[in-house]
């Protein structure tokens, strides 16, 4: 893992639970078989209601204790500003969707679009088929594509964003947005350690926005921005539309609680492998 302790270092690591198989299977049963059996629209209504509690003014009292509990950097919040031009963090949700005061600056032509745990990293050709309800699906399903649309030598990555992580997704490269697709779906629990056989299982079922960026070498970078329980909204950034050019690190979207970001890229990560932490904006 490449250590990137800089003035922009955002403290992305968190405790990864080592769950025994029997307990992982139990949690998977609760997520997939019980919660997953609830109609998707009801899941979203319940999640929206729950997430709305963090919009209430009283919830801002949670911010300081939460920072003391979850971050080693006592000055963590000094790197960020409230969202939407606000002067103060008026709720916990404001903290959750905080903005960097300054984005990281690296010369690399391609960077990580988010921060969190890289829970899966494999070549497309090495990924197994996944059974979703009564269907068997390939990884192309995550991106709303056919198998032939993604070359086998592309690399699939899945970054799990813990609640403590920065929850905005940025462009990994400069280029042109050539596709945007919204896929309604479930909101299964995202914790990768409860899906030991396939940590990316929720990405095959959950609600998501897929965004393709064609870079300056005519290679397509496929992103899938995946929601989970308690996600009130996945919101695309202003100006993100098909045909628009984007620069590296331009904001693409944000999550209101809970998320995962999958990517199918024409190149493999140079400094990271599965089960390491990545930081938004650092070299991919």
């Amino acid at each position: 893992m490449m250590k990137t302790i800089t003035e922009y270092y955002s403290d992305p690591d968190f405790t990864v639970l080592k769950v025994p198989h029997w307990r992982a299977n139990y949690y998977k049963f609760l997520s997939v078989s019980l919660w997953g059996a609830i109609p998707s629209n009801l899941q979203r209504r319940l999640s929206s209601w729950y997430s709305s509690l963090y919009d209430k003014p009283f919830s801002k009292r949670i911010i300081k204790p939460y920072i003391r509990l979850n971050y080693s950097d006592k000055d963590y919040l000094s790197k960020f500003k409230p969202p939407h031009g606000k002067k103060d963090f008026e709720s916990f949700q404001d903290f959750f969707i905080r903005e960097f005061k300054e984005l990281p600056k690296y010369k690399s032509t391609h960077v990580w679009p988010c921060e969190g745990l890289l829970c899966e990293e494999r070549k497309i050709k090495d990924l197994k088929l996944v059974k979703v309800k009564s269907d068997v699906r390939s990884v192309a399903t995550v991106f709303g594509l056919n198998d032939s649309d993604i070359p086998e030598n592309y690399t699939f990555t899945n970054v799990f964003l813990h609640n403590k992580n920065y929850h905005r997704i940025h462009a990994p490269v400069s280029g042109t947005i050539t596709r945007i697709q919204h896929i309604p779906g479930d909101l299964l629990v995202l914790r990768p350690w409860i899906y030991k056989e396939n940590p990316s299982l929720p990405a095959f079922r959950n609600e998501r926005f897929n965004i393709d960026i064609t870079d300056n070498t005519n290679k397509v970078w496929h992103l899938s921005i995946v929601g989970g329980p308690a996600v009130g909204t996945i919101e695309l950034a202003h100006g993100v539309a098909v045909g628009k050019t984007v620069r590296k690190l331009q904001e693409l979207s944000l999550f209101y609680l809970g998320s995962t970001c999958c990517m199918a890229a024409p190149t493999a990560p140079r400094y990271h492998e599965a089960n390491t932490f990545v930081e938004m904006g650092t070299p991919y």
Side-chain angles (χ1 to χ4, degrees):
M1 177 180 178
M2 180 181 68
K3 299 297 287 183
T4 51
I5 309 298
T6 71
E7 62 180 307
Y8 301 105
Y9 182 64
S10 51
D11 205 352
D13 64 304
F14 52 84
T15 300
V16 178
L17 299 179
K18 295 184 178 180
V19 182
H21 276 278
W22 70 268
R23 187 176 296 174
N25 289 334
Y26 172 67
Y27 291 149
K28 180 180 176 182
F29 170 77
L30 294 179
S31 175
V32 176
S33 301
L34 293 185
W35 172 256
I38 298 174
S40 300
N41 61 340
L42 182 55
Q43 289 180 11
R44 284 192 289 276
R45 287 172 58 189
L46 292 171
S47 293
S48 182
W49 171 81
Y50 174 77
S51 66
S52 71
L53 297 177
Y54 291 99
D55 284 320
K56 308 298 183 185
F58 73 83
S59 67
K60 69 181 180 181
R61 299 176 184 175
I62 304 172
I63 297 174
K64 289 184 178 179
Y66 189 85
I67 290 173
R68 287 197 298 269
L69 182 64
N70 289 282
Y71 302 93
S72 58
D73 183 358
K74 295 179 181 179
D75 297 320
Y76 175 79
L77 200 56
S78 66
K79 301 178 178 69
F80 300 91
K81 61 183 179 181
H84 308 313
K86 294 182 180 181
K87 294 182 178 180
D88 300 298
F89 293 96
E90 298 173 359
S91 66
F92 188 80
Q93 189 69 272
D94 281 351
F95 167 72
F96 195 84
I97 59 171
R98 58 198 176 273
E99 299 179 31
F100 269 105
K101 290 179 179 177
E102 291 186 68
L103 292 175
K105 294 180 175 67
Y106 287 92
K107 293 182 180 179
S108 176
T109 57
H110 36 270
V111 299
W112 286 102
C114 60
E115 72 172 38
L117 175 67
L118 178 58
C119 60
E120 189 161 21
E121 182 262 315
R122 297 184 187 182
K123 291 291 186 184
I124 295 292
K125 63 182 178 182
D126 297 328
L127 289 164
K128 297 179 180 178
L129 298 175
V130 174
K131 187 173 183 180
V132 178
K133 296 182 179 179
S134 59
D135 298 328
V136 177
R137 304 179 182 178
S138 68
V139 72
T141 306
V142 172
F143 303 96
L145 296 169
N146 297 317
D147 291 348
S148 59
D149 295 324
I150 305 178
E152 289 189 343
N153 63 343
Y154 267 45
T155 297
F156 173 81
T157 57
N158 181 350
V159 177
F160 166 67
L161 285 67
H162 187 273
N163 290 341
K164 68 167 281 187
N165 290 133
Y166 169 76
H167 271 74
R168 292 174 185 263
I169 309 299
H170 295 254
V173 292
S174 295
T176 302
I177 297 176
T178 47
R179 184 179 68 108
I180 296 177
Q181 177 191 41
H182 175 235
I183 298 180
D186 295 333
L187 294 174
L188 299 182
V189 174
L190 294 170
R191 298 303 197 260
W193 45 85
I194 74 174
Y195 306 103
K196 289 185 177 293
E197 298 82 9
N198 187 346
S200 297
L201 175 63
F204 287 82
R205 285 187 55 163
N206 283 15
E207 180 173 6
R208 54 200 181 272
F209 269 97
N210 295 321
I211 300 176
D212 290 353
I213 300 175
T214 301
D215 67 19
N216 297 327
T217 65
N218 209 34
K219 296 289 181 63
V220 182
W221 295 65
H222 305 278
L223 280 82
S224 187
I225 302 161
V226 185
V231 174
T233 308
I234 305 172
E235 184 176 292
L236 295 183
H238 177 72
V240 171
V242 174
K244 295 289 187 179
T245 58
V246 291
R247 63 187 183 281
K248 182 186 70 174
L249 281 185
Q250 182 174 329
E251 185 179 321
L252 298 177
S253 72
L254 65 86
F255 288 93
Y256 289 86
L257 296 177
S259 54
T260 280
C261 182
C262 297
M263 187 162 65
T267 185
R270 291 171 291 168
Y271 306 107
H272 299 84
E273 57 187 20
N275 298 316
T276 60
F277 290 94
V278 302
E279 293 179 86
M280 189 276 296
T282 57
Y284 168 79

